[in-house]
Amino acid sequence: MAAGKYSFVIEQGATFQRELVYQDSLGNPIDLTDYGARMQIRPAPGSSTLYMTLSSSLTSDGSGLNLYGLNGTNPKTSGSIGIIISAISSSALTFDEAAYDLELYSGSFVNRIIEGKVKLSKEVTTNV
């Protein structure tokens, strides 16, 4: 199955949260029990410059990909993936527009499930 297309905006300095449900062609949630997840944001596909990496191991500031959904309480059988970028992490972003993709992996199996553009809405009020 080809990766889905979805573009979004990150507000610099604010917490970004999105939840998606990975489903099969019949609309049934796909069990994520044996999977890890990773997502990268770069200027363009194939670029060696990396703006951000998210994984299914949440960082100390809470950024990452939660395979239990945004609230962390959905079972992995629900197919829920929470995408979380903390306010601290989004504050460090400086690009205008970039590309991303999100992959699920299990052993040597890798499936790119979603891809698209990311725009950054620059903040005016800062915590300075």
Side-chain angles (χ1 to χ4, degrees):
M1 182 182 328
K5 306 279 188 199
Y6 178 71
S7 297
F8 58 90
V9 175
I10 296 172
E11 293 180 338
Q12 185 184 45
T15 301
F16 174 86
Q17 296 183 324
R18 291 288 183 282
E19 185 165 353
L20 60 100
V21 178
Y22 187 41
Q23 300 173 333
D24 65 20
S25 60
L26 299 175
N28 300 310
I30 294 178
D31 186 348
L32 303 176
T33 299
D34 295 325
Y35 288 89
R38 59 187 176 221
M39 177 178 150
Q40 292 185 340
I41 301 174
R42 296 178 181 268
S47 173
S48 61
T49 301
L50 180 63
Y51 294 141
M52 175 174 278
T53 296
L54 298 173
S55 74
S56 45
S57 298
L58 299 180
T59 64
S60 60
D61 72 4
S63 295
L65 304 169
N66 192 344
L67 298 183
Y68 295 96
L70 276 179
N71 61 12
T73 60
N74 295 335
K76 283 191 171 182
T77 55
S78 72
S80 296
I81 303 170
I83 304 170
I84 305 143
I85 301 172
S86 73
I88 293 168
S89 290
S90 73
S91 291
L93 298 173
T94 59
F95 62 84
D96 290 319
E97 185 174 279
Y100 82 96
D101 63 14
L102 191 154
E103 298 177 336
L104 292 174
Y105 60 89
S106 181
S108 62
F109 175 79
V110 178
N111 188 12
R112 186 162 39 118
I113 63 169
I114 193 166
E115 65 185 10
K117 299 279 184 187
V118 179
K119 289 188 178 183
L120 185 66
S121 174
K122 304 281 178 77
E123 71 181 322
V124 175
T125 304
T126 60
N127 191 18
V128 178

